[in-house]
Amino acid sequence: MAPTVEGGDAALLPEFPRGPLDAYRARASFSWKELALFTEGEDMLRFKKTIFSALENDPLFARSPGADLSLDKYRELNFLRCKRIFEYDFLSVEDMFRSPLKVPALIQCLGMYDSSLAAKYLLHTLVFGSAVYSSGSERHLTYIQKIFSMEIFGCFALTELSHGSNTKAIRTTAHYDPATKEFIIHSPDFEAAKFWVGNMGKTATHAVVFAKLHMPGDQCHGLHPFIVQIRDPKTLLPMPGVMVGDMGKKLGQNGLDNGFAMFHKVRVPRQSLLNRMGDVTPEGTYVSPFKDVRQRFGVSLGGLSSGRVSILSLAVVNLKLAIAIALRFSATRRQFGPTQEEEIAVLEYPMQQCRLLPYLAAAYALDHFSKSLFLDLVELQRGHASGDCSARQAELGREIHALASAGKPLASWTAQQGIQECREACGGHGYLAMNRLGVLRDDNDPNCTYEGDNNVLLQQTSNYLLGLRARRVQDGACFRSPLKSVDFLNAYPSILDQKFEVSSVADCLDSAVALAAYKWLVCYLLRETYQKLNQEKRSRSSDFEARNNCQVSHGRPLALAFLELTVVQRFHEHVHQPCVPPSLRAVLGRLSALYALWSLSRHAALLYRGGYFSGEQAGEVLESAVLALCSQLKDDAVALVDVIAPPDFVLDSPIGRADGELYKNLWGAVLQESKVLERASWWPEFSVNKPVIGSLKSKL
């Protein structure tokens, strides 16, 4: 059990070491400690500090600069670290139910240390564990206990070698044998091998395997999840009939063992079926509380929403780390100036501000969205666990599915673009591996693909919106959803009559302006996409062809605009709530406005095409407002980073350390990695001045 951090604010939020960043910290318009307490709360800050302190003081988590671990060694070490996290018992099952936001908080802390560790932990607990909890019943509760004691180690096996996004084409089968009361799990050929399954490569002992359930007489009831043991927990040898292995080195996240498995007529007990959505009696009768097959199928894949929300959160972590490194670098790196004798920090240049500060605002906005969406998911899962089969519960599932399906693409792409911008904004130093930006870029990259390719997922969101529009046309149904993300569409006709009427930059510096524009944009794109879809159908295209022909310039931007609107709306409401301390309202309002207007500016062509913008002034005002907000936030940038950056040990970037000693830290790290300190007796400075060596080593 990790010791809890005690003490008051001084222990919880200690002062940063004095150094070159002091000037920017002194110019901040707010207290970074006050914002940290408002954003996280004292209990959450204490929880995170407990985790970070445990990692820093445990030799198992020691950083080894310059050490290139072999693939097998890295994966072994990552598993041992994951095991140690459970030994620390940072978060009990009871805590998860009592304080659900501690779940993503723990995963974010682990992700800040190493993406592979976070992925390994969340796949076992949130994806595998959540699938067992939300798809199973009382007879499966013993698995939950074993998950948290690590008596078993789990993975989520849906994707196959020949099918990923098209889940309905999954080919693994589960035939029920009433004579033995068993299911027979079988892979018909190598193309049906489970593939890309995280944790399966080396360490998983059990898998939630999705297979098509066949009853006697070969009646198929579609995909269902089964708990299947794939390895002996004591020896990690494959179980009879199971061929399982590791897929090898990837572009990133190489501490995570992605694997494959094939099943040859593997028999599992009838009780292995996770039976909340459908069950089989001992005699061989299929029963389900869901009469609608599509609804049952959607609920059975609810675990994918958990995975997507978790990926959204990890993408935000990667963006936070990158922007923290780049902004601390930018505040201490001095280049050029008004005179030859005076150089200024590169953060003073408007170009550097407009490259980085929108991503800082995005980190705050997307972080709030990921937390709020996680709480929505918790509500959904509790409803499933209580047996709620109401229409509202079904609609909540559809809405969360739509939000998660667009949320993962938006967050992972924003992180991808932001990390690259941060890498370039740090110049050559950003290209040095030890400064971590390259690792962040590679580790974030799979977020764009797993748990659903981003572009494919966006179709889920646009289809959700088009379905609501069709119901409105056919039977006059109101636009209404449990989380109210689509309720604004009830004003659809009047919204489309609106125009952008802001004429000055000063009037534009509020996220309410962008909110109004986004609502118009979503209504416009929904109308255009719906008309395009019907036009394609009238031209005798099949529904399949019609939807494909609508994606590029209609469905895709519709889904992204809808999700951006949702993020902007939630963050706007968050920073304008009455409980926001007066001293924080200005800076939070600027962050909200910057994210909203910067995101909106990327849709300028659509705003002009649809007639919401007209004339040069609209575009110029929007552009000028973004630049003005960047300028206003420049002096707050370092303090805003201080709120979201982890301790130096976790951040693990010489150019991003909290003391701001950019050149001393980088020089020392390079010397250590090159082993020069041990070989430099020939250099007078080192042979004569031994304390210099000791000083550098102590800093490292």
Side-chain angles (χ1 to χ4, degrees):
M1 180 89 178
T4 304
V5 175
E6 303 293 344
D9 289 355
L12 188 60
L13 298 168
E15 296 295 336
F16 290 103
R18 301 294 300 233
L21 289 173
D22 288 353
Y24 275 101
R25 287 179 175 134
R27 297 210 298 260
S29 67
F30 67 98
S31 163
W32 74 271
K33 294 184 179 182
E34 186 179 20
L35 181 55
L37 285 165
F38 171 73
T39 303
E40 300 281 8
E42 183 176 339
D43 183 52
M44 187 65 77
L45 288 173
R46 207 171 295 281
F47 176 67
K48 289 185 173 183
K49 193 170 183 66
T50 297
I51 297 167
F52 289 143
S53 298
L55 300 185
E56 186 167 3
N57 293 312
D58 188 333
L60 186 62
F61 294 88
R63 299 287 194 183
S64 301
D68 290 325
L69 297 175
S70 69
L71 192 64
D72 285 343
K73 186 64 178 176
Y74 186 14
R75 291 182 178 175
E76 177 188 354
L77 183 59
N78 197 42
F79 177 74
L80 292 174
R81 286 170 172 169
C82 186
K83 186 172 182 290
R84 184 64 57 85
I85 296 299
F86 282 96
E87 291 169 357
Y88 277 127
D89 195 25
F90 292 122
L91 193 60
S92 66
V93 177
E94 293 76 20
D95 288 335
M96 287 185 173
F97 286 100
R98 187 167 53 247
S99 303
L101 280 179
K102 285 187 175 179
V103 177
L106 172 57
I107 291 169
Q108 284 206 348
C109 288
L110 300 180
M112 287 183 163
Y113 174 80
D114 184 349
S115 289
S116 291
L117 177 60
K120 193 162 194 66
Y121 180 89
L122 81 85
L123 284 168
H124 174 60
T125 54
L126 270 195
V127 182
F128 175 72
S130 176
V132 174
Y133 174 75
S134 60
S135 298
S137 59
E138 190 172 345
R139 74 190 188 199
H140 300 108
L141 291 179
T142 55
Y143 285 104
I144 301 297
Q145 298 168 356
K146 291 178 180 179
I147 287 169
F148 285 91
S149 65
M150 277 192 74
E151 291 178 59
I152 63 174
F153 202 72
C155 60
F156 186 86
L158 174 63
T159 297
E160 295 178 354
L161 175 60
S162 61
H163 287 95
S165 299
N166 185 8
T167 53
K168 291 182 179 180
I170 295 299
R171 297 173 59 237
T172 303
T173 60
H175 284 83
Y176 184 65
D177 182 353
T180 60
K181 298 180 175 55
E182 293 173 316
F183 287 101
I184 304 169
I185 310 295
H186 185 65
S187 307
D189 53 51
F190 75 92
E191 290 189 4
K194 295 300 181 183
F195 216 65
W196 277 116
V197 182
N199 287 344
M200 181 177 271
K202 299 280 189 182
T203 52
T205 63
H206 290 69
V208 169
V209 176
F210 279 82
K212 287 186 173 176
L213 193 159
H214 291 263
M215 300 302 295
D218 212 30
Q219 183 182 9
C220 179
H221 290 279
L223 275 188
H224 283 68
F226 300 80
I227 295 184
V228 181
Q229 184 173 347
I230 60 174
R231 286 189 179 93
D232 185 314
K234 294 182 179 179
T235 66
L236 290 184
L237 293 174
M239 298 299 290
V242 179
M243 182 175 73
V244 60
D246 189 278
M247 292 179 59
K249 190 172 184 178
K250 310 184 293 290
L251 295 179
Q253 289 194 14
N254 278 302
L256 179 66
D257 50 316
N258 291 81
F260 62 86
M262 286 189 71
F263 304 94
H264 181 70
K265 299 180 180 178
V266 175
R267 288 181 173 268
V268 298
R270 181 182 65 88
Q271 293 82 356
S272 297
L273 172 64
L274 295 173
N275 60 332
R276 191 172 301 280
M277 278 64 73
D279 204 356
V280 174
T281 67
E283 299 74 27
T285 301
Y286 180 81
V287 293
S288 173
F290 298 97
K291 295 180 181 179
D292 187 332
V293 175
R294 290 177 301 175
Q295 184 180 353
R296 186 185 73 220
F297 179 73
V299 173
S300 71
L301 294 179
L304 292 176
S305 289
S306 298
R308 288 164 187 161
V309 173
S310 298
I311 291 168
L312 195 166
S313 180
L314 284 176
V316 173
V317 163
N318 293 329
L319 181 59
K320 283 182 178 180
L321 294 172
I323 202 67
I325 294 167
L327 280 171
R328 283 178 174 171
F329 171 89
S330 298
T332 50
R333 174 76 163 175
R334 293 178 176 272
Q335 296 289 294
F336 306 106
T339 67
Q340 288 187 348
E341 294 75 25
E342 180 187 359
E343 288 189 305
I344 63 172
V346 295
L347 184 54
E348 294 298 318
Y349 291 99
M351 179 62 75
Q352 195 81 343
Q353 295 166 22
C354 75
R355 292 173 70 186
L356 296 179
L357 293 177
Y359 287 108
L360 176 63
Y364 272 85
L366 289 169
D367 187 47
H368 175 71
F369 174 71
S370 73
K371 292 174 183 174
S372 65
L373 186 59
F374 183 83
L375 290 177
D376 296 333
L377 184 65
V378 169
E379 179 189 349
L380 177 68
Q381 291 177 335
R382 286 176 174 170
H384 287 335
S386 66
D388 186 352
C389 295
S390 66
R392 184 192 183 279
Q393 176 75 1
E395 190 57 44
L396 178 62
R398 283 190 285 270
E399 185 174 14
I400 289 176
H401 176 71
L403 293 173
S405 293
K408 184 186 89 76
L410 178 63
S412 58
W413 276 334
T414 302
Q416 180 191 60
Q417 296 153 10
I419 294 167
Q420 181 64 26
E421 195 68 70
C422 288
R423 207 293 297 154
E424 295 180 27
C426 292
H429 297 325
Y431 193 63
L432 203 57
M434 67 173 66
N435 287 321
R436 204 180 174 188
L437 291 167
V439 173
L440 290 173
R441 183 175 58 191
D442 290 345
D443 283 352
N444 181 75
D445 204 35
N447 292 334
C448 302
T449 301
Y450 56 27
E451 301 291 342
D453 172 86
N454 281 356
N455 283 292
V456 175
L457 281 183
L458 290 173
Q459 296 181 45
Q460 300 288 315
T461 306
S462 60
N463 286 343
Y464 169 74
L465 295 169
L466 288 168
L468 294 175
R469 174 67 178 145
R471 280 162 50 189
R472 174 80 167 205
V473 171
Q474 290 164 9
D475 55 25
C478 290
F479 289 103
R480 186 174 294 117
S481 63
L483 302 177
K484 303 186 184 307
S485 64
V486 301
D487 289 18
F488 75 96
L489 290 171
N490 284 306
Y492 181 90
S494 60
I495 289 175
L496 284 173
D497 288 336
Q498 296 174 3
K499 304 290 181 184
F500 185 75
E501 297 178 349
V502 177
S503 57
S504 71
V505 172
D507 292 337
C508 202
L509 303 181
D510 190 312
S511 46
V513 172
L515 269 176
Y518 259 119
K519 289 177 180 178
W520 179 91
L521 180 62
V522 173
C523 289
Y524 169 72
L525 286 170
L526 181 56
R527 183 189 70 188
E528 295 297 297
T529 307
Y530 186 76
Q531 289 177 353
K532 171 70 172 175
L533 181 63
N534 286 329
Q535 177 186 338
E536 289 289 333
K537 289 179 178 179
R538 285 194 299 270
S539 67
R540 297 184 180 178
S541 297
S542 67
D543 186 68
F544 176 78
E545 291 173 323
R547 290 186 183 277
N548 277 333
N549 293 341
C550 289
Q551 284 307 311
V552 177
S553 57
H554 293 80
R556 185 180 186 274
L558 168 62
L560 283 171
F562 169 68
L563 202 282
E564 287 167 6
L565 166 61
T566 306
V567 174
V568 169
Q569 180 80 53
R570 291 193 181 193
F571 194 50
H572 173 86
E573 292 172 356
H574 174 64
V575 304
H576 288 88
Q577 58 186 321
C579 66
V580 177
S583 57
L584 300 178
R585 288 174 188 166
V587 68
L588 287 174
R590 289 177 189 133
L591 281 174
S592 177
L594 177 57
Y595 175 71
L597 293 170
W598 172 73
S599 297
L600 183 70
S601 67
R602 293 181 292 182
H603 300 290
L606 286 170
L607 294 166
Y608 273 112
R609 189 176 80 187
Y612 187 73
F613 278 3
S614 60
E616 294 181 2
Q617 187 179 29
E620 289 175 354
V621 166
L622 183 60
E623 184 179 272
S624 298
V626 170
L627 292 173
L629 286 164
C630 286
S631 178
Q632 291 174 17
L633 283 166
K634 178 252 301 177
D635 288 344
D636 287 328
V638 170
L640 287 166
V641 161
D642 289 341
V643 174
I644 61 176
D648 286 346
F649 168 78
V650 176
L651 185 62
D652 194 31
S653 174
I655 64 172
R657 288 183 185 156
D659 63 6
E661 295 287 0
L662 169 62
Y663 301 120
K664 288 182 181 179
N665 292 330
L666 184 56
W667 178 243
V670 169
L671 289 180
Q672 185 187 38
E673 183 148 324
S674 64
K675 310 295 189 218
V676 165
L677 291 179
E678 287 78 7
R679 305 192 306 265
S681 59
W682 55 269
W683 189 15
E685 181 181 351
F686 287 108
S687 59
V688 175
N689 194 358
K690 299 289 187 182
V692 172
I693 300 176
S695 173
L696 281 170
K697 285 186 173 180
S698 67
K699 279 185 172 292
L700 300 169

